[in-house]
Amino acid sequence: MNQPGKVIFHDESRSRKKVFRGMILFLTLLAASASIFAFFDLVSNTHYSSENFNTIRYYNYYFSERNDKKISITFDDGPDPVYTEKILSVLDAYNVPATFFFVGREVLTHPWLVKKVASRGYEIGNHTFTHSEDVHLSEQRVKWELGATSYVMTILTGKTPLFYRPPYLLDIGIDPTSNPYVPESNALQWMLEYGYIPVGSDVDSKDYEARSVEDILTHVRNDLAQGGRIALFHDGGAHDVSKTIEALPVLIETLRAEGYTFVPLSDVLIPPATPQLTYDLAFGSLDVTTEGQVSLLQEFLVYDGYLERQYVTGTFDEITASALFEWQSTHAVLDASKVTNMWEVRTDEATRALISSLSTNAYTEHKLLNREPALYSYPRAFVQGLFYFIGISLPLLKKGFFIVTFIVALRVLFIFFMLLVRRLSDRKAKQTALSWCGNVSVIIPAYNEEENIQATVMSILSNSYKVDDIIVVDDGSKDRTAERVKKLKKQYPGRITLISQKNAGKAAGLNKGIARAKHDIVITLDGDAIFSKTAIEHLIAPFTDPKVGATAGTVLTANTGSILDLFQRIEYISGQYLEKYALNYFGATGVVPGPIGAWRKSVIKEVGGYSLDTVVEDQDITLAVQAAGYKIIYAQKAIAYTETPFTMRDFFKQRFRWTFGTFQCFWKYKGYFGNKDAPQLSYVILPNVALFGIILPVFFPLMDIMFLAALLFGITPAFIKGYLLFTFFDVLYASCALFRKIEYTPLVFLVPIQRLFYRVVMFNVIIKSYVKMIEGTYAFWNKVLKKGEAQAYFEKVALVRSA
């Protein structure tokens, strides 16, 4: 086992680890405390009293004459950074109030836009979190949808939404609010119990299907003619509302010219408790001459219980005078004994002053509107910051989703194109192909490989290409590895050399073996790998070219039959038969694998031998040879079979070592970017490692998570198409490699599951690698358990299988 030395990223002082973990602990505690406060605040304030909401009074008020020629504009499905901004500009320019019914998931995406709308004085309503047709299926669903959305809005604006419009006008339709004269649905009862005023729409602009401005004007004017007052438009969602933005200025100017007044939604829905009287009203006063103040007074008397609703007529009549006289007497505004004539009762200055001092507007005193959340000070700032972070992250993730899909698709198409090019070049190369036929040395580093070492050595001895120099380096094994090699040494005298050393790691063992090698061409393989019958002749053939510094063979898994082995077999086949084969056109082989590779001994010495700087000595020296200007050829027909991890624990350990080692190698050779003397390394290998080995694997499982979130919180067609396209190319890439060999085609059915499994595993591996890199923690060369699968496979089929 390697011991910590001058290894890339390693911090012997452990100071980076202490600082990093301290920061993580601090942020975790901060997030946990904020989450606890947020959870209890949300739970404790989800159910509100609706005792100040009188459905009959509110419903009748909406249809009172005082609201004639009034129109309240509302917008659904936002906020949208394009449409909402443009609509705000129009409303601001014409000084028109409006109410925006925002969807919770969009609020999280654009939190700053919500604050902007609120800061300009526009009313904001709740439009559920997901905008699903199923939001009213259960009380728990309603509670969650409304509670979560209101909570986010409250944190962002300091005000809790009072109005709720169900998506698709579920259970309310064209009614302005809860209709007291028809049986209420369960959903309407839940809305009222949670303290929301449900809002429908009796003026439908149908802007989502409008083809022209005239279409919108026609729909609005037709519904206004039927007595409608609440106009429905859209500022987001999946709708193209460009016609709405064009129509708004024309609509506002036209309706104002016809005598309509644009008012907030609260103005037409909530009866005022404070009349704000300026006229001295007396018997005979009319709304038309007092700017509607007679009705205001009558509404006030209804609110205080001195007048029945049906007597709100807009005329100061005998019934109104009697009610006002009773109110004045109760509040000692006048001396009833001195009133001789009922017609003299009037709202004198004293009466108006008392009404103003004793009453507050029902809208401003609503419990929901003025409720301060528990997180109003600290940690409200933290939670609000979290929402802003989410708001910044989600659009980036959405864009990243399609960028990743595009990159994956482009990569697959590029690999397919290069496969075609490589095939054509191979046909021409066969006509002039020469095979190197000199002597070779074989080096096998082994650490506790008693299960497979005999098969490994025998696969070399029985190969079609005779080898007379086999060196086994026993790296301090604690099992019977050395004993088994000694037995073979006796059986094949003069061909096998056994070198024993204290445990120093695979790199040190290879260096020692290379120093003892008799020949310049050196083949290396792991102690659990076995060669196919013709592997060596294919592996060494390219060395006729003096510019070739090394060759890489194909690694396949020993046939264990376990699901994990099958997954790894798909990985190996797709990675080598497609990518490695195609990129070899440029000589861009990024790794000469440990189970099968060949080298020029002189080149290895030139680059300084196997390095101890990283935990992936094979990849490290591969890049070193590339950096020195030598070519590395992928010999596809040179096949080795190796035992793969059969437990998840060992599988994860192996993938972590490979990934962390890739990080180390990338960092070690990063200076070769743009180096014209090593074009394969500079322009192909390093960019490929950076993009597909370090960066994109972090995003692959996020694609699945985002898709699941979309299923739960609503889906856009473009997102579905993007994910299906990503999945198609991801599966197609692996599947095409399997079709190259008829015996592998049944594995195609496992590819979708394998790709999903690998995305999750590699995400965890990548994250762990990032953490280890930041902390400076040493990653050991972890030995995995062996069952002797390579030995069993060799005994069954390896001797009879050719390339």
Side-chain angles (χ1 to χ4, degrees), residues 404-472:
V404 169
T405 301
F406 175 77
I407 292 174
V408 169
L410 195 64
R411 183 192 190 214
V412 172
L413 295 175
F414 173 75
I415 293 296
F416 287 170
F417 172 75
M418 290 310 305
L419 282 175
L420 178 62
V421 173
R422 179 72 198 274
R423 285 287 182 88
L424 295 176
S425 67
D426 282 353
R427 290 178 182 177
K428 294 180 180 179
K430 284 181 181 179
Q431 300 174 3
T432 58
L434 296 175
S435 295
W436 193 87
C437 55
N439 292 325
V440 298
S441 296
V442 175
I443 301 172
I444 307 171
Y447 174 70
N448 291 344
E449 294 288 359
E450 67 172 321
E451 298 90 352
N452 299 298
I453 191 64
Q454 183 176 346
T456 300
V457 176
M458 286 300 300
S459 73
I460 303 300
L461 291 169
S462 59
N463 203 269
S464 62
Y465 198 95
K466 186 176 180 180
V467 178
D468 60 3
D469 186 27
I470 302 173
I471 302 171
V472 179

Side-chain angles (χ1 to χ4, degrees), residues 365-553:
E365 76 175 5
H366 195 285
K367 292 184 178 181
L368 275 178
L369 190 69
N370 283 331
R371 184 180 65 88
E372 276 194 355
L375 303 182
Y376 197 79
S377 54
Y378 173 84
R380 178 177 182 247
F382 176 83
V383 178
Q384 193 174 87
L386 178 62
F387 291 157
Y388 273 91
F389 174 76
I390 294 173
I392 295 171
S393 301
L394 286 180
L396 292 178
L397 285 174
K398 288 180 180 179
K399 292 179 181 178
F401 182 94
F402 294 104
I403 291 173
V404 169
T405 301
F406 175 77
I407 292 174
V408 169
L410 195 64
R411 183 192 190 214
V412 172
L413 295 175
F414 173 75
I415 293 296
F416 287 170
F417 172 75
M418 290 310 305
L419 282 175
L420 178 62
V421 173
R422 179 72 198 274
R423 285 287 182 88
L424 295 176
S425 67
D426 282 353
R427 290 178 182 177
K428 294 180 180 179
K430 284 181 181 179
Q431 300 174 3
T432 58
L434 296 175
S435 295
W436 193 87
C437 55
N439 292 325
V440 298
S441 296
V442 175
I443 301 172
I444 307 171
Y447 174 70
N448 291 344
E449 294 288 359
E450 67 172 321
E451 298 90 352
N452 299 298
I453 191 64
Q454 183 176 346
T456 300
V457 176
M458 286 300 300
S459 73
I460 303 300
L461 291 169
S462 59
N463 203 269
S464 62
Y465 198 95
K466 186 176 180 180
V467 178
D468 60 3
D469 186 27
I470 302 173
I471 302 171
V472 179
V473 182
D474 179 22
D475 188 30
S477 297
K478 299 176 182 179
D479 62 1
R480 295 180 296 169
T481 299
E483 294 178 19
R484 300 206 170 183
V485 175
K486 287 177 182 177
K487 289 181 180 180
L488 290 172
K489 185 178 178 181
K490 290 180 180 180
Q491 296 176 28
Y492 300 91
R495 297 181 67 180
I496 302 173
T497 301
L498 175 63
I499 300 175
S500 296
Q501 67 176 23
K502 291 183 179 180
N503 181 244
K506 180 180 174 182
L510 286 166
N511 286 333
K512 185 168 287 189
I514 288 168
R516 294 279 296 272
K518 298 177 182 179
H519 310 296
D520 188 48
I521 303 301
V522 178
I523 294 174
T524 60
L525 71 158
D526 293 336
D528 61 348
I530 52 176
F531 277 12
S532 64
K533 188 75 173 177
T534 59
I536 294 178
E537 64 183 72
H538 292 299
L539 191 64
I540 63 176
F543 283 101
T544 54
D545 183 353
K547 294 181 180 179
V548 173
T551 59

Side-chain angles (χ1 to χ4, degrees), residues 791-803:
Q791 176 74 35
Y793 187 72
F794 175 76
E795 294 173 355
K796 291 179 181 178
V797 296
L799 288 176
V800 296
R801 174 174 288 183
S802 66

Side-chain angles (χ1 to χ4, degrees), residues 439-716:
N439 292 325
V440 298
S441 296
V442 175
I443 301 172
I444 307 171
Y447 174 70
N448 291 344
E449 294 288 359
E450 67 172 321
E451 298 90 352
N452 299 298
I453 191 64
Q454 183 176 346
T456 300
V457 176
M458 286 300 300
S459 73
I460 303 300
L461 291 169
S462 59
N463 203 269
S464 62
Y465 198 95
K466 186 176 180 180
V467 178
D468 60 3
D469 186 27
I470 302 173
I471 302 171
V472 179
V473 182
D474 179 22
D475 188 30
S477 297
K478 299 176 182 179
D479 62 1
R480 295 180 296 169
T481 299
E483 294 178 19
R484 300 206 170 183
V485 175
K486 287 177 182 177
K487 289 181 180 180
L488 290 172
K489 185 178 178 181
K490 290 180 180 180
Q491 296 176 28
Y492 300 91
R495 297 181 67 180
I496 302 173
T497 301
L498 175 63
I499 300 175
S500 296
Q501 67 176 23
K502 291 183 179 180
N503 181 244
K506 180 180 174 182
L510 286 166
N511 286 333
K512 185 168 287 189
I514 288 168
R516 294 279 296 272
K518 298 177 182 179
H519 310 296
D520 188 48
I521 303 301
V522 178
I523 294 174
T524 60
L525 71 158
D526 293 336
D528 61 348
I530 52 176
F531 277 12
S532 64
K533 188 75 173 177
T534 59
I536 294 178
E537 64 183 72
H538 292 299
L539 191 64
I540 63 176
F543 283 101
T544 54
D545 183 353
K547 294 181 180 179
V548 173
T551 59
T554 297
V555 181
L556 299 178
T557 66
N559 186 18
T560 65
S562 69
I563 188 68
L564 190 57
D565 176 78
L566 294 176
F567 282 173
Q568 291 172 88
R569 187 174 304 175
I570 294 171
E571 174 197 12
Y572 286 10
I573 292 170
S574 60
Q576 295 174 108
Y577 282 10
L578 284 184
E579 180 177 330
K580 208 166 193 175
Y581 177 75
L583 294 183
N584 189 58
Y585 179 81
F586 304 104
T589 298
V591 182
V592 174
I596 182 167
W599 311 82
R600 288 191 193 274
K601 181 177 177 179
S602 56
V603 173
I604 292 179
K605 289 183 176 180
E606 181 181 335
V607 299
Y610 283 85
S611 172
L612 300 178
D613 293 345
T614 69
V615 295
V616 283
E617 61 288 321
D618 302 316
Q619 184 176 10
D620 194 341
I621 197 169
T622 302
L623 299 184
V625 171
Q626 294 272 13
Y630 292 95
K631 293 192 295 185
I632 296 181
I633 302 300
Y634 170 48
Q636 186 182 29
K637 292 184 178 181
I639 299 175
Y641 300 90
T642 185
E643 181 168 342
T644 55
F646 57 88
T647 67
M648 274 302 302
R649 184 171 180 269
D650 282 345
F651 175 74
F652 188 87
K653 285 196 303 183
Q654 185 189 68
R655 290 310 185 274
F656 166 68
R657 184 175 69 85
W658 290 358
T659 303
F660 184 75
T662 298
F663 277 39
Q664 291 176 312
C665 287
F666 179 79
W667 187 258
K668 182 176 180 178
Y669 294 95
K670 64 184 183 301
Y672 284 90
F673 270 112
N675 190 321
K676 296 180 181 179
D677 296 329
Q680 299 94 336
L681 179 63
S682 172
Y683 302 118
V684 183
I685 295 175
L686 288 178
N688 189 53
V689 168
L691 193 58
F692 296 102
I694 297 176
I695 299 173
L696 289 187
V698 176
F699 293 94
F700 287 162
L702 295 179
M703 309 281 277
D704 302 302
I705 294 172
M706 290 177 66
F707 181 70
L708 290 176
L711 290 177
L712 293 173
F713 303 139
I715 306 175
T716 60

Side-chain angles (χ1 to χ4, degrees), residues 135-314:
V135 295
H136 291 172
L137 285 182
S138 68
E139 182 176 4
Q140 189 61 37
R141 177 72 181 267
V142 172
K143 181 179 181 179
W144 182 86
E145 293 267 359
L146 274 61
T149 304
S150 288
Y151 181 76
V152 177
M153 291 181 181
T154 304
I155 290 293
L156 291 173
T157 67
K159 297 180 180 179
T160 304
L162 172 61
F163 300 118
Y164 165 56
R165 173 174 282 159
Y168 312 104
L169 299 178
L170 297 171
D171 294 301
I172 192 165
I174 64 171
D175 270 330
T177 185
S178 182
N179 190 334
Y181 305 110
V182 297
E184 290 181 351
S185 67
N186 288 334
L188 280 174
Q189 291 178 13
W190 296 331
M191 298 174 208
L192 296 173
E193 288 175 5
Y194 295 143
Y196 296 94
I197 297 178
V199 179
S201 170
D202 48 16
V203 179
D204 190 354
S205 68
K206 297 184 179 179
D207 55 347
Y208 51 88
E209 63 181 17
R211 296 183 178 180
S212 66
V213 171
E214 189 59 38
D215 285 346
I216 295 176
L217 291 176
T218 300
H219 291 311
V220 170
R221 297 183 74 175
N222 286 343
D223 287 345
L224 285 175
Q226 302 298 318
R229 296 183 175 99
I230 300 177
L232 171 62
F233 295 87
H234 295 86
D235 69 324
H239 310 294
D240 176 10
V241 295
S242 55
K243 295 301 178 185
T244 301
I245 298 169
E246 293 180 33
L248 276 176
V250 180
L251 182 72
I252 293 169
E253 292 175 359
T254 302
L255 294 181
R256 276 180 172 169
E258 294 177 1
Y260 284 92
T261 303
F262 293 93
V263 297
L265 187 59
S266 55
D267 189 275
V268 295
L269 276 181
I270 303 176
T274 303
Q276 297 296 323
L277 303 177
T278 58
Y279 286 82
D280 185 4
L281 303 178
F283 187 78
S285 296
L286 303 173
D287 269 347
V288 293
T289 59
T290 62
E291 299 180 349
Q293 291 194 12
V294 174
S295 291
L296 290 177
L297 174 62
Q298 291 172 334
E299 288 290 347
F300 168 73
L301 294 173
V302 170
Y303 185 78
D304 261 16
Y306 291 88
L307 186 68
E308 295 297 327
R309 156 63 54 186
Q310 62 267 29
Y311 299 116
V312 179
T313 60

Side-chain angles (χ1 to χ4, degrees), residues 350-366:
T351 300
R352 296 198 305 273
L354 183 58
I355 290 175
S356 179
S357 64
L358 293 180
S359 305
T360 56
N361 188 283
Y363 182 54
T364 59
E365 76 175 5
H366 195 285

